[in-house]
Amino acid sequence: MWYDVVSAISNLVMAAFAVIAGIYAKGQYDEAKQQRELALRQEQEERRKEAKQDELALQQQQQHERELIEARNRALFLERQREIAHVEAFAVKNGGNYAVELSVPTEASIYEVKVWAQWPDEDFSYDNAAGNRDSSRDGNPHVAPGKNRPWRMIRPGNWLVSTTHTYPWTQPEPVSADASAWTPVYADEQHKVVELEFTDCYGNKWRRCYGRNKEGQYVQSFVLIAAKEPELADYV
C-alpha cells in the first residue's frame, strides 16, 4: 500500500516537473521567437534606413548633376547671347532719303535675316495693291527684304538697305566710308524698325523687338525664339 502511495506521489512529482519543464521550454521558445522577430524587424528597419539614405544620396547626386547641367547651359546661353547681342537694325536718314542700317558687329555671319519696318506706303509700289505686309505683326509693318523671303546671309559689318519703286527693299550694301552721311532716326514714327529676326552661326534663331511702353518710353526685347543647340531648349 505504501509502495503504491509513494509511486503515485512520484508520478505526480514527475508530472509536475514535466509540466514545469514544458512551461519553461515554451517560455524559452517564445522568448527566442520574440528575439528573432525583433532581430528581423531591426534588420528590416536598418535596410529601410539604408535604402532611404541611398535614395537621398541618389537624389542629391541627381540634383547636383542637374544644377551642373543647368549652370553649363546657362553659361552657353549667355555666351551665345553675348556673341550677337549688338546685332541691330535701325532707320537712318541722309538728307531726304531714308534707309535701314543693319549693324552686324560679330565674328561670324548671321543668316535668315528679316526686318520689320514701319515705313510710308508711298515709298513702295505694289502689284495688285496687295502690298508687302505681314498681318501677324501689329500695325502691319513692311517686311524686308520680302514676306517669307529673308536674306540668306549677311556678313559682319554695317549694311545699308534702302527702298526702291521696283522692289520694296534693295539688297544690303556696305555703308560708305562717309558714315556720317547717314544718321540714325529715333523720333520719326513713319520710319522706324520694329523688329529684327536672324539666325546665328550655330543655327539658333533670335528676335529683337523695338517699341514704346504705355508711358511712351523706348523699350526693346531680345529673345531666343528657336534653338538648334539642345542645351538652349529651356531658354526659348
Side-chain angles (χ1 to χ4, degrees):
M1 179 177 178
W2 286 104
Y3 175 79
D4 292 337
V5 172
V6 171
S7 179
I9 294 173
S10 176
N11 289 336
L12 289 173
V13 171
M14 291 178 64
F17 274 110
V19 170
I20 294 172
I23 295 173
Y24 178 77
K26 186 177 184 306
Q28 291 290 96
Y29 173 81
D30 291 342
E31 183 179 355
K33 181 180 178 182
Q34 291 175 354
Q35 290 178 347
R36 288 195 302 271
E37 291 176 347
L38 178 61
L40 179 60
R41 287 196 297 270
Q42 290 175 340
E43 181 180 356
Q44 291 173 340
E45 180 65 18
E46 289 296 324
R47 289 180 179 177
R48 189 191 66 79
K49 289 181 179 179
E50 289 177 0
K52 189 68 175 178
Q53 290 174 348
D54 291 342
E55 181 183 359
L56 180 60
L58 179 60
Q59 291 176 350
Q60 291 174 340
Q61 180 182 356
Q62 291 174 339
Q63 177 66 22
H64 180 64
E65 291 174 352
R66 284 195 297 269
E67 290 173 353
L68 288 177
I69 292 173
E70 289 174 359
R72 287 196 296 267
N73 292 351
R74 178 66 176 172
L76 180 63
F77 170 75
L78 293 176
E79 175 64 16
R80 294 290 183 261
Q81 190 180 58
R82 183 193 63 78
E83 291 177 12
I84 42 81
H86 298 292
V87 175
E88 298 276 3
F90 48 91
V92 291
K93 182 179 181 182
N94 182 0
N97 298 318
Y98 290 86
V100 169
E101 183 172 334
L102 291 173
S103 178
V104 188
T106 58
E107 294 183 1
S109 300
I110 59 175
Y111 303 85
E112 303 299 314
V113 183
K114 262 188 175 182
V115 175
W116 280 264
Q118 198 68 49
W119 221 257
D121 286 342
E122 56 267 22
D123 287 1
F124 302 93
S125 63
Y126 300 113
D127 294 331
N128 300 322
N132 184 37
R133 293 169 174 266
D134 186 337
S135 61
S136 67
R137 296 295 187 273
D138 294 339
N140 296 333
H142 297 276
V143 184
K147 187 174 182 180
N148 297 324
R149 294 186 60 186
W151 289 296
R152 292 184 179 180
M153 180 184 74
I154 295 182
R155 292 173 295 174
N158 283 59
W159 304 86
L160 201 65
V161 181
S162 59
T163 61
T164 70
H165 290 285
T166 57
Y167 189 76
W169 301 95
T170 64
Q171 293 298 308
E173 299 179 356
V175 174
S176 64
D178 185 12
S180 61
W182 292 93
T183 57
V185 176
Y186 297 118
D188 190 336
E189 291 300 315
Q190 285 191 308
H191 300 85
K192 63 180 181 179
V193 172
V194 295
E195 191 168 303
L196 166 66
E197 282 186 7
F198 64 92
T199 300
D200 63 25
C201 63
Y202 306 100
N204 307 305
K205 191 172 184 179
W206 301 83
R207 175 181 295 162
R208 188 186 294 278
C209 298
Y210 309 86
R212 297 185 182 278
N213 59 20
K214 294 180 180 179
E215 290 73 29
Q217 299 171 328
Y218 176 75
V219 294
Q220 67 166 309
S221 62
F222 184 43
V223 296
L224 179 67
I225 59 175
K228 181 68 174 294
E229 295 176 285
E231 297 87 350
L232 305 187
D234 290 338
Y235 296 95
V236 176

